[in-house]
Amino acid sequence: MCGRYCLYDDGNEELRAIFDRTEGDFKIGEVFPTDKAPVLIQQSGGVKPQAVVWGFPGFQGKGVIINARAETVMEKPMFRNSIQAKRCVIPSSGFFEWSHDGRKTKYQFNLPGSGVLYMAGLYQDYEDGRRFVILTEPANESMAAVHSRMPLVIPSGSLSVWLGSIGSAANLLQSPGPELTKKAV
């Protein structure tokens, strides 16, 4: 599960370009559910960053749904329409997870050799505006000791594949996540 991620303005040119083009106000730093954050959305033949709220409204208006399981997203009524036509990419500097060993150590996970980690997402429009969720998949070896799930990481060269046709995007739903680095924070 991905319950928080980070978006730092630390001179990374790729993130800076996204920030500069994002429409609307958004959070920089540690991003929590219900915060507005930049997401990349396919529009009019191009990719446009927009500030979008993290979390679909929960059942019967209680709480928010922040993640969707990649392996069941095609079947679940809440996500079925979004996976077909409303896919997005969530840029980040990394994400956080807490160990479940009794000590609750907070770890930051990053993509080695890159200042940007792109996560697969879905969006939907509601009465109160546009909202997104992050797709998760079973954790790989680099993550499994801390948590059983991890965000579905999209390689930077595959952003257009994820945002393009559902046929192309479906292959990414099955791909194993990359090895990540972790550090206690």
Side-chain angles (χ1 to χ4, degrees):
M1 165 169 182
C2 181
R4 276 196 223 150
Y5 66 95
C6 50
L7 194 58
Y8 297 126
D9 186 8
D10 58 1
N12 180 290
E13 291 180 26
E14 199 170 345
L15 284 176
R16 171 57 38 212
I18 292 169
F19 296 165
D20 290 346
R21 294 179 35 235
T22 300
E23 295 177 3
D25 295 329
F26 57 89
K27 174 101 178 257
I28 292 181
E30 192 165 341
V31 181
F32 293 77
T34 71
D35 284 343
K36 270 192 172 182
V39 297
L40 306 176
I41 296 174
Q42 183 82 34
Q43 285 186 323
S44 305
V47 176
K48 184 125 178 133
Q50 294 180 2
V52 179
V53 173
W54 182 14
F56 285 7
F59 301 106
Q60 299 175 352
K62 296 180 182 174
V64 291
I65 309 296
I66 60 172
N67 298 134
R69 290 178 172 258
E71 57 270 35
T72 61
V73 75
M74 298 280 215
E75 306 153 13
K76 300 286 182 183
M78 177 177 265
F79 307 115
R80 195 177 305 130
N81 290 337
S82 293
I83 190 64
Q84 294 295 323
K86 294 185 176 183
R87 292 176 304 282
C88 63
V89 174
I90 300 96
S92 74
S93 301
F95 65 92
F96 299 109
E97 199 55 70
W98 286 257
S99 66
H100 296 283
D101 59 5
R103 288 179 271 175
K104 297 270 186 188
T105 305
K106 182 179 179 181
Y107 291 100
Q108 180 178 334
F109 288 86
N110 299 92
L111 194 57
S114 176
V116 183
L117 183 142
Y118 292 104
M119 299 177 286
L122 305 174
Y123 70 93
Q124 192 63 256
D125 294 315
Y126 294 92
E127 288 180 13
D128 65 346
R130 186 163 280 174
R131 294 171 164 263
F132 74 93
V133 295
I134 296 172
L135 293 181
T136 66
E137 65 181 346
N140 64 20
E141 208 171 290
S142 66
M143 177 85 195
V146 177
H147 201 277
S148 62
R149 302 211 47 93
M150 65 186 283
L152 178 64
V153 176
I154 303 292
S156 61
S158 297
L159 300 184
S160 61
V161 172
W162 177 251
L163 295 171
S165 73
I166 183 59
S168 300
N171 292 331
L172 291 173
L173 290 173
Q174 310 301 321
S175 62
E179 293 298 308
L180 303 171
T181 59
K182 75 176 179 185
K183 66 178 178 181
V185 291

